[in-house]
Amino acid sequence: MMNYIKCCITIILSLVLVACETVSQTEQNDENWKEEIAENIPLLGHRNWIVITDKAFPIQTKAGIEMIYAEGSYENVLSFVTDQLNSSTHIYGHFYQDKEQTFLDELICLGIDDYRLIQDQYIPKNKVQYINHESLLNKIDSISSFYKVLVVKTNLVLPYTSTFIELDCKYWNSEKQQLLNDKMQFSR
């Protein structure tokens, strides 16, 4: 009987230790992707891109594309990235999404309405431009020849739901650039 009790206690303790290790690894992964994004934000500037993708987004082989896997939910990643951009002093984002997504409904893509509610919490609808998926992929391919593209892959399993964020300078805009160009033109 004593051996049986010892065996049961050993098994229970082993299970508790394994469970604790699993939670610890999940928390570590959660911190890893956040840390990677936070470390990249100060280095990124205008013309760089951040792409938050669904799980089926293909791995890219171009040198200018860095891909990280965030085991967290799409919402957690979108929230973290938008918070990072909002608190940044030097960059903000222009948001793009797949045009195909605007044609999805619950009949053919269960969960798309919940996804849209999440999107609306972090990105105002009037701030999103919808472009065909293939065109966005071609844009990323072209940009990555010259500028870094940070791709954050999530656990989201809905089609055409990637969020493409083109970064721009927060403290300089096209109006100021035009004034500068005019000054330079008139000084010749």
Coordinates of all heavy atoms in Angstrom, one line a residue, residues 29 48 81 102 107 127 159 185:
N29 N 7.4 32.2 -24.9 CA 7.1 32.5 -26.3 C 6.4 33.8 -26.4 O 6.7 34.5 -27.3 CB 6.4 31.3 -27.0 CG 6.1 31.6 -28.4 OD1 5.1 32.3 -28.8 ND2 7.0 31.2 -29.3
N48 N 9.6 51.1 -44.3 CA 9.6 49.7 -43.8 C 8.1 49.3 -43.7 O 7.2 50.1 -43.7 CB 10.3 49.6 -42.4 CG 11.8 49.8 -42.5 OD1 12.3 50.6 -41.8 ND2 12.4 49.0 -43.3
V81 N 1.2 45.5 -31.6 CA 1.8 46.3 -32.7 C 1.2 47.7 -32.8 O 2.0 48.7 -32.9 CB 1.7 45.6 -34.0 CG1 2.1 46.5 -35.2 CG2 2.6 44.3 -34.0
T102 N -13.2 41.6 -48.1 CA -14.5 42.4 -48.0 C -15.6 41.6 -48.6 O -16.8 42.0 -48.4 CB -14.3 43.7 -48.8 OG1 -14.1 43.5 -50.2 CG2 -13.2 44.6 -48.2
L107 N -21.2 32.7 -44.1 CA -21.6 31.5 -44.8 C -20.4 30.7 -45.3 O -20.4 29.5 -45.3 CB -22.6 31.8 -45.9 CG -24.0 32.2 -45.4 CD1 -24.9 32.7 -46.6 CD2 -24.7 31.1 -44.6
K127 N -9.2 54.1 -42.0 CA -7.8 54.1 -42.1 C -7.2 52.9 -42.9 O -6.0 52.7 -43.0 CB -7.1 54.1 -40.7 CG -7.5 55.3 -39.9 CD -6.7 56.5 -40.4 CE -7.0 57.7 -39.5 NZ -6.4 58.9 -39.9
P159 N -9.0 33.0 -44.0 CA -8.3 33.4 -45.2 C -8.4 35.0 -45.4 O -9.3 35.6 -44.9 CB -9.0 32.7 -46.3 CG -10.4 32.6 -45.7 CD -10.2 32.3 -44.3
Q185 N 13.5 74.6 -54.9 CA 13.3 74.9 -56.3 C 13.5 76.4 -56.5 O 14.1 76.8 -57.5 CB 11.8 74.5 -56.7 CG 11.5 74.8 -58.1 CD 12.2 73.9 -59.1 OE1 12.6 72.8 -58.8 NE2 12.4 74.4 -60.3

